[in-house]
Amino acid sequence: MSHQNTAKGNFAAMTNAWATMTQTVLQSATAANRAAMSAMLAPSLANGSESETVAPSIPSIDHSRLDWQFDRTVDDTENISVGDTVTFEKVLSEEDVRAFAHVSGDTNRLHLDEEFASDTRFGERIVHGTLVSGLISAALARLPGLTIYLSQDLEFSGPVGIGDRVSARVEVVEDLGNRQYRLETVIRNEDDDATVINGEAVVLIDDLPEA
């Protein structure tokens, strides 16, 4: 974890101010989440060489990193039902933040300039909110079948520090028919043991094309 001790201690007190400042609803967030996924799939360097990859365990996923974790309760599109969940977890690293700034064009100094960020309410740089919410896309990519985003509502309730381990959990809460599902989406900062984003998504799940 990269938190300075003083900034870490202030995060809880900042939550209300953060929620007031950044509470928002995002509709049809496909483009933003694609950008987040692009950043997360960019090669990262470890000891000067490309990170090791493992063979995909789901046909629709091309790459997976050793430090990414996921779990799901259903393996077949025909068996998806209310209560099924997928959880995806990873560390949001310095490389992720830099890559996302490049891909998205969001070069807000709060995310990139340590000296600037130290004078803000957060006391240090924090991860882009849209990059954090992009982990929802990562969880959805691990549902069986081909998941197509239709809409997403999000409410931000706290910041994420660079180097924090973050999890995204999606749960099917309603079968809307025609292969459409309403999902509860929750993102937690596992290092702070705090929920940082709540929301709902609607997705369409098709069968994978035949090889």
Side-chain angles (χ1 to χ4, degrees):
M1 230 177 107
S2 66
H3 288 218
Q4 300 172 358
N5 290 336
T6 56
K8 176 83 171 183
N10 289 334
F11 266 20
M14 295 171 186
T15 298
N16 288 339
W18 169 268
T20 300
M21 179 180 68
T22 64
Q23 191 173 84
T24 184
V25 174
L26 301 180
Q27 297 290 345
S28 301
T30 304
N33 282 299
R34 281 178 180 168
M37 282 299 292
S38 295
M40 287 184 285
L41 291 175
S44 60
L45 299 182
N47 300 321
S49 62
E50 183 171 322
S51 299
E52 185 178 357
T53 60
V54 295
S57 58
I58 300 175
S60 63
I61 298 174
D62 293 328
H63 302 282
S64 186
R65 303 292 181 186
L66 291 176
D67 67 335
W68 296 359
Q69 301 176 19
F70 83 92
D71 181 64
R72 67 181 186 181
T73 61
V74 60
D75 296 315
D76 191 308
T77 56
E78 299 303 320
N79 295 327
I80 295 174
S81 61
V82 172
D84 281 324
T85 62
V86 178
T87 302
F88 177 85
E89 185 174 319
K90 78 181 294 285
V91 172
L92 289 175
S93 67
E94 173 74 20
E95 291 78 11
D96 291 331
V97 170
R98 297 286 176 183
F100 182 78
H102 175 74
V103 170
S104 68
D106 183 350
T107 55
N108 188 327
R109 294 169 68 191
L110 177 61
H111 311 301
L112 303 173
D113 185 331
E114 193 70 58
E115 183 177 359
F116 173 84
S118 66
D119 292 328
T120 69
R121 68 175 67 236
F122 305 106
E124 64 177 351
R125 290 188 296 135
I126 62 173
V127 179
H128 301 75
T130 308
L131 173 53
V132 179
S133 67
L135 295 187
I136 296 169
S137 289
L140 293 176
R142 286 153 177 82
L143 280 166
L146 176 62
T147 303
I148 301 167
Y149 243 132
L150 299 181
S151 68
Q152 174 81 63
D153 296 342
L154 299 175
E155 180 177 314
F156 295 81
S157 56
V160 170
I162 296 170
D164 285 354
R165 177 164 286 277
V166 181
S167 67
R169 183 178 185 274
V170 300
E171 179 177 351
V172 179
V173 295
E174 185 178 3
D175 184 342
L176 300 173
N178 297 319
R179 313 197 77 167
Q180 297 182 30
Y181 300 89
R182 184 168 62 88
L183 304 158
E184 178 186 62
T185 58
V186 178
I187 294 184
R188 289 181 51 79
N189 185 329
E190 297 298 337
D191 288 340
D192 282 350
D193 191 25
T195 296
V196 293
I197 298 177
N198 276 299
E200 287 191 348
V202 175
V203 299
L204 170 67
I205 301 180
D206 282 340
D207 288 327
L208 291 171
E210 292 184 7

